[in-house]
Amino acid sequence: MLSIKNLSKQFGSKKVIDDVSFDVPQGGIAVLLGPSGVGKSTLLRVLNNLETIDKGTIALEGKPLDLSEVTKEHTCGMVFQQFNLFDHMTVLENITLALEKVMGQSKQSAQKIAIELLKRYDLAEKKDAYPSQLSGGQKQRLALARTIALKPKIICFDEPTSALDPLLTTHVANTIQQLASDGYIVLIATHDTALLDKLDCSIYLMDNGKIIETAQSDAFSKNADQFPRIQRFVQGAIE
Ligand code: ADP
Ligand code: MG
């Protein structure tokens, strides 16, 4: 279980995360939903030690998470909106680099792990290609494979559908749902309401750094009226 309690973060005088609390169980998916600028990405960045926090605690399995250690221990991984691949390296090298340099694996064992991951994400035939030769969906699967190579417990996706063809939304949702079934804790920052009915997830609607409404995706799809703010956001997004 990941427990986030009373998390707050300001940039100057602007409260970007304002007293946010929620839990995500192992195998659970939390969707941080909302329009641009409400603090979704900042929350994921905090978990990945890319931003500091002002207040609050984050605990994993009951133990406080030392955010400065998150990167070192690879507790948490992030699949960035623009994927952040190493463009001058091949698909295979994008994965083996971290395994060798960060995890201290031998070249041989790094390659073995990388090739397994490339097979799992349907990229084996692309192992010698460069990121610029991949489609958007392939780039995203590579970014995911690279994240998983470091064996995180928590995987964060920032706007996983925004750089892709909308036709890929179901595929992305299935991939994310599979990660949850495999036992990862998954967090998604998105404004894309098309993901909601494709995931078994907890929805946290954000506004101005606060969580203003919460729903389970199945309850929301059965009784949207009970969640007026999420419903309004979904309708607004469709119009
Ligand atoms: P979202 O992902 O929901 O679109 P963000 O978390 O990216 O929102 O940003 C929330 C707010 O924080 C925005 O007003 C944004 O301009 C501001 N912000 C984000 N990063 C920084 C930063 N490094 N310095 C100052 N303001 C920032
Ligand atoms: Mg964002």
Side-chain angles (χ1 to χ4, degrees):
M1 170 98 90
L2 172 70
S3 294
I4 295 175
K5 283 204 172 51
N6 307 113
L7 195 70
S8 292
K9 161 98 191 153
Q10 290 190 205
F11 285 118
S13 60
K14 185 175 163 60
K15 286 185 179 171
V16 176
I17 303 175
D18 190 359
D19 200 27
V20 163
S21 302
F22 63 98
D23 294 336
V24 195
Q26 195 185 348
I29 303 174
V31 173
L32 307 170
L33 181 71
S36 180
V38 296
K40 308 180 300 292
S41 297
T42 304
L43 216 156
L44 298 189
R45 291 173 59 79
V46 160
L47 286 174
N48 286 275
N49 195 35
L50 299 167
E51 305 282 359
T52 56
I53 58 174
D54 301 330
K55 279 194 208 124
T57 56
I58 301 175
L60 184 63
E61 288 147 21
K63 292 187 212 106
L65 203 60
D66 179 351
L67 289 172
S68 64
E69 296 290 307
V70 160
T71 337
K72 219 190 298 168
E73 293 174 0
H74 317 292
T75 314
C76 203
M78 176 109 141
V79 178
F80 292 90
Q81 185 168 5
Q82 298 302 333
F83 316 126
N84 294 14
L85 297 169
F86 306 121
D87 289 329
H88 60 294
M89 291 185 187
T90 66
V91 165
L92 187 72
E93 288 164 350
N94 262 273
I95 300 180
T96 55
L97 178 78
L99 287 168
E100 287 178 50
K101 299 276 188 261
V102 186
M103 305 283 269
Q105 304 261 7
S106 68
K107 187 172 180 141
Q108 206 180 8
S109 107
Q111 292 212 345
K112 193 161 168 261
I113 296 168
I115 285 170
E116 279 308 308
L117 282 166
L118 291 177
K119 278 189 200 150
R120 189 190 313 169
Y121 289 105
D122 200 16
L123 288 166
E125 284 168 19
K126 296 282 178 188
K127 75 180 175 55
D128 299 318
Y130 285 85
S132 62
Q133 297 168 303
L134 302 181
S135 70
Q138 289 169 333
K139 283 182 196 170
Q140 184 177 59
R141 300 205 301 277
L142 175 56
L144 175 59
R146 187 181 62 174
T147 299
I148 286 180
L150 300 182
K151 296 194 186 322
K153 296 198 167 91
I154 306 163
I155 302 184
C156 300
F157 289 86
D158 196 6
E159 301 287 354
T161 54
S162 71
L164 303 182
D165 187 317
L167 291 171
L168 287 174
T169 303
T170 304
H171 191 75
V172 171
N174 291 345
T175 303
I176 292 175
Q177 193 68 57
Q178 183 61 50
L179 291 170
S181 305
D182 291 344
Y184 291 98
I185 291 169
V186 182
L187 283 89
I188 306 170
T190 190
H191 66 273
D192 183 2
T193 57
L195 273 172
L196 300 181
D197 60 0
K198 298 183 167 63
L199 291 171
D200 180 10
C201 62
S202 302
I203 305 167
Y204 298 100
L205 181 67
M206 289 185 71
D207 191 22
N208 267 326
K210 284 187 185 295
I211 292 175
I212 57 165
E213 197 167 75
T214 303
Q216 286 304 119
S217 55
D218 54 350
F220 177 68
S221 66
K222 282 188 206 120
N223 281 308
D225 290 352
Q226 285 178 5
F227 309 97
R229 294 177 139 182
I230 298 174
Q231 187 181 38
R232 213 175 308 137
F233 182 71
V234 169
Q235 286 169 348
I238 289 167
E239 276 159 17

